[in-house]
Amino acid sequence: MLSLKPAYLSRYAAIAKILLKYGRSDLVNHPEIDALAVSDSSAVDQDSPTSPECFAKDLEAMGPTFIKLGQLLSTRADFLPPAYLEALERLQDHVEPLPFETIEAIIEEELGVRLSKAFADFEPTAIATASIGQVHRARLRDGRRVAVKVQRPNLHRQVEDDLAAMHQLGELLDEHTDIGRRIRFVQIVESLREVMRRELDYRQEAENGHTLQRNLAQFDRFVIPTVIDDYTSGRVITQEYIEGAKITNLSPVVLVELDRKQLADELFNVYLHQVLVDGVFHADPHPGNLMLTPDRRIALMDFGMVSRVAPQTQRRLVKMLMALSDGRAEETAREAIAIGRPFKKTGFDEEEFRERVGQLVTDNLGKPLAQLHTGQIVMQINAAAGETGLKLPSAIVMLGKTLMNLDKVVDALDPEFDPNEALRRHTGGIVARRQTLRMTAGRLYETLMESAEFVELMPERLNKIAELISENKLKLDVDAIDEHRLMAGFQKVANRITTGLILAALIVGASLMLRMDVEPRLFGYPAIAMVFFLTAAIASLVLLWHIAFHDDAPEE
């Protein structure tokens, strides 16, 4: 029985109602959840329809933590049906803007200067609002136009309360339900805690912006807004204001003027470069965060969600994506297994996973270009992994979500874009850039030092080997087999053969002696012949008994 904190009762009740309204039967059949759901203090309308869209709206009504939870759940194809994933993917948080006086007070508190001193001009009307913060246009004293994002007050306390309630109920589900033991809701809550921690610290978002700006400097068709560090804090971030329109909202006239095929190809290449070369990628490329500027460049916006890929995972990902693009199902499954790790509690059904990946790759080979979406395939592989007991890294899940968002933008630019062909075409350049990055001055110097040490010590080592050979003292330790066990086995075989020969001789000798007419007799035959015959028969039975029941079974 969980000890639930009274202060979080309204949140417990809201989550319980969500579970009862939309949850599976193995999630909701628990008396504590039933008891919590009778509370009236909830933002969830229990009588409303239970469609995927209503699920998304209910999460929206419960605040920023639950909105982020919904966005996180949109990556769990192993848990929710496709219709719910799609509804959660479109989840947005539109709220009423804060009064300008509140915004002014937060900026002055965070930056330590009066608003009129910091900015030459500051528009009081927000140009974008969300549950975490809102954005205002402004102009610095040096004339630069900027966008200022300000975080809502008291947000940290609300998020911590929500996460505490989720964590306790997650423990209940993990302990008392089969799906909880497989999905591990507490782990989802901890992932959400990490996401929210980064989202609520605008200094982390600023650092992400600097990193992406450095990494993508070589791509002329893409622009990252510059963060103004002197006007940035934990709750305020100021960056260069970039004019533009959402790529998915471009007018037909603009689309005609664009080289859409090249732009779509370059956009796809930029994200491959981020994931497979830099290991740091913009993980939220939904249509609202990708804009076309007046000079026909693509601007990447909002760096609160940036994911990282470890170098060893990058190498496997290159192989997996190449195998996927070529339709090589077995190699795709093998690389996915190498990236992931089996669940300890449920185990991993490798044969089932390979079969499902094979079917998935085969199904996508025959699809027309308009239906071929790399992100969706990666998410389906992740779903197959979760359902068969293989845990893939969170970076792979984020990659699938990123590619799904990217697919929508690429479709808007070029509906005939072939991601498989683009993967094959860009892989050579990606591998070359990876090797170029590895050949840094530090790595080159380290390699030269190791080579110099090898050459310097080589004569001494060769002299030692020559001396040992000349003195007949050179020994090679081979640990391939256990020689003591091997010799004991040989000795046992020799003993068995010798015993068998002796018993055979006794039986043959006794058989010949049975023809002799001598006294004394036993059972009508010469007694000495019968003694030898019975002795040999008993000894043979004893030998067979030991062979059948006492010899060691062969090791696997």
Side-chain angles (χ1 to χ4, degrees):
M1 189 77 173
L2 289 176
S3 176
L4 302 177
K5 296 183 179 180
Y8 304 152
L9 186 58
S10 63
R11 279 323 195 197
Y12 294 141
I15 300 172
K17 285 188 176 182
I18 284 283
L19 291 174
L20 287 173
K21 185 176 177 182
Y22 301 98
R24 296 153 52 150
S25 59
D26 53 351
L27 279 178
V28 299
N29 292 333
H30 194 278
E32 291 187 59
I33 294 180
D34 292 336
L36 285 170
V38 301
S39 171
D40 293 329
S41 54
S42 170
V44 181
D45 182 2
Q46 188 70 9
D47 297 325
S48 63
T50 57
S51 66
E53 289 72 20
C54 292
F55 180 47
K57 290 179 180 178
D58 281 342
L59 291 180
E60 285 179 359
M62 293 168 69
T65 314
F66 292 88
I67 291 170
K68 288 298 175 185
L69 174 63
Q71 293 172 348
L72 190 62
L73 288 176
S74 71
T75 67
R76 298 302 300 263
D78 56 332
F79 177 45
L80 292 173
Y84 281 84
L85 297 178
E86 186 176 353
L88 292 177
E89 184 63 31
R90 298 194 301 266
L91 197 66
Q92 300 294 328
D93 45 351
H94 302 290
V95 298
E96 290 296 321
L98 291 171
F100 176 68
E101 294 76 14
T102 303
I103 293 296
E104 183 178 18
I106 293 174
I107 292 176
E108 292 179 350
E109 178 185 352
E110 289 292 312
L111 302 184
V113 63
R114 291 181 60 83
L115 190 68
S116 58
K117 295 284 187 180
F119 300 95
D121 182 41
F122 193 96
E123 296 184 10
T125 303
I127 59 174
T129 61
S131 58
I132 290 181
Q134 62 188 54
V135 182
H136 292 256
R137 272 193 295 253
R139 186 165 52 87
L140 299 180
R141 289 290 176 181
D142 59 8
R144 285 180 293 174
R145 298 181 66 197
V146 293
V148 183
K149 183 161 68 172
V150 183
Q151 191 176 113
R152 290 176 173 270
N154 305 319
L155 204 56
H156 284 268
R157 176 62 180 274
Q158 179 186 345
V159 169
E160 285 301 322
D161 288 350
D162 290 342
L163 290 172
M166 290 181 188
H167 192 279
Q168 281 202 301
L169 289 180
E171 288 179 338
L172 186 151
L173 296 172
D174 287 355
E175 183 177 354
H176 296 288
T177 66
D178 290 335
I179 191 173
R181 284 183 281 271
R182 181 172 67 84
I183 298 296
R184 293 182 295 177
F185 289 98
V186 170
Q187 187 178 74
I188 294 178
V189 174
E190 290 307 310
S191 299
L192 177 62
R193 188 186 301 276
E194 180 63 22
V195 169
M196 294 302 296
R197 184 188 66 80
R198 293 196 299 264
E199 290 265 348
L200 294 179
D201 186 356
Y202 286 171
R203 289 168 297 192
Q204 180 64 53
E205 182 174 345
E207 182 58 36
N208 292 339
H210 290 314
T211 300
L212 291 176
Q213 194 172 46
R214 289 193 302 269
N215 292 346
L216 302 182
Q218 60 183 291
F219 296 96
D220 298 332
R221 298 286 297 271
F222 294 84
V223 57
I224 307 294
T226 302
V227 176
I228 315 298
D229 290 326
D230 292 339
Y231 290 78
T232 296
S233 70
R235 297 168 60 202
V236 175
I237 180 170
T238 304
Q239 58 189 22
E240 171 189 9
Y241 180 76
I242 296 179
E243 294 279 0
K246 294 181 181 180
I247 289 181
T248 52
N249 292 343
L250 296 177
S251 67
V253 176
V254 175
L255 289 175
V256 169
E257 296 176 352
L258 289 175
D259 186 351
R260 295 188 292 167
K261 291 184 179 297
Q262 183 181 358
L263 202 57
D265 186 68
E266 289 185 9
L267 180 61
F268 195 77
N269 183 31
V270 161
Y271 272 87
L272 288 178
H273 175 89
Q274 292 179 68
V275 175
L276 302 177
V277 179
D278 298 329
V280 180
F281 64 95
H282 180 233
D284 196 20
H286 66 73
N289 286 340
L290 293 174
M291 303 178 65
L292 186 71
T293 65
D295 58 356
R296 299 300 186 259
R297 294 189 296 169
I298 294 180
L300 276 63
M301 315 292 290
D302 193 353
F303 315 117
M305 193 177 294
V306 168
S307 191
R308 286 167 169 78
V309 185
Q312 60 271 23
T313 305
Q314 281 181 304
R315 291 192 292 272
R316 294 288 185 184
L317 265 179
V318 172
K319 295 180 180 179
M320 189 183 86
L321 291 176
M322 279 303 300
L324 187 61
S325 67
D326 289 340
R328 290 177 275 130
E330 184 61 31
E331 292 183 38
T332 302
R334 183 173 66 244
E335 296 303 330
I337 292 170
I339 293 173
R341 55 182 175 81
F343 287 139
K344 293 181 179 179
K345 293 184 178 180
T346 60
F348 173 43
D349 189 345
E350 182 174 338
E351 183 177 352
E352 173 69 16
F353 176 71
R354 290 180 181 274
E355 183 178 340
R356 291 187 58 173
V357 171
Q359 187 63 47
L360 176 64
V361 173
T362 303
D363 290 345
N364 281 278
L365 282 177
K367 283 187 176 180
L369 295 182
Q371 300 177 20
L372 193 60
H373 295 137
T374 309
Q376 186 177 9
I377 299 173
V378 173
M379 292 301 292
Q380 288 172 337
I381 291 176
N382 181 68
E387 292 173 4
T388 55
L390 181 67
K391 172 64 177 177
L392 295 180
S394 59
I396 307 302
V397 180
M398 293 304 297
L399 172 63
K401 180 177 182 295
T402 299
L403 291 176
M404 284 180 68
N405 280 327
L406 191 62
D407 286 336
K408 299 173 185 177
V409 179
V410 169
D411 282 347
L413 290 172
D414 180 16
E416 298 301 317
F417 180 76
D418 185 353
N420 286 341
E421 189 275 333
L423 269 172
R424 291 190 290 269
R425 181 159 34 84
H426 291 300
T427 300
I430 287 170
V431 173
R433 289 196 292 268
R434 280 177 54 83
Q435 295 304 319
T436 301
L437 288 177
R438 288 175 60 85
M439 294 304 294
T440 60
R443 284 182 177 273
L444 183 60
Y445 182 73
E446 182 181 348
T447 302
L448 290 174
M449 290 286 290
E450 291 177 353
S451 300
E453 183 180 359
F454 176 77
V455 173
E456 181 181 354
L457 296 177
M458 179 60 73
E460 180 183 352
R461 291 169 177 169
L462 290 175
N463 285 336
K464 287 183 179 179
I465 294 174
E467 290 176 3
L468 291 173
I469 293 175
S470 64
E471 297 173 3
N472 199 25
K473 294 181 179 179
L474 184 65
K475 296 182 180 180
L476 295 177
D477 291 332
V478 180
D479 196 20
I481 57 174
D482 187 344
E483 63 273 14
H484 297 293
R485 188 180 179 89
L486 181 64
M487 292 306 299
F490 283 151
Q491 187 175 8
K492 181 183 289 188
V493 171
N495 291 340
R496 293 286 169 80
I497 292 174
T498 302
T499 303
L501 289 174
I502 293 173
L503 293 176
L506 285 174
I507 293 173
V508 172
S511 299
L512 294 175
M513 292 177 66
L514 289 175
R515 298 175 178 271
M516 298 174 58
D517 188 11
V518 296
E519 296 291 341
R521 288 181 172 273
L522 182 64
F523 304 122
Y525 296 98
I528 188 169
M530 289 300 296
V531 170
F532 286 162
F533 187 82
L534 292 173
T535 301
I538 293 171
S540 298
L541 291 174
V542 172
L543 180 61
L544 291 173
W545 173 269
H546 276 277
I547 291 174
F549 297 102
H550 293 280
D551 280 3
D552 292 336
E555 295 183 357
E556 295 294 336

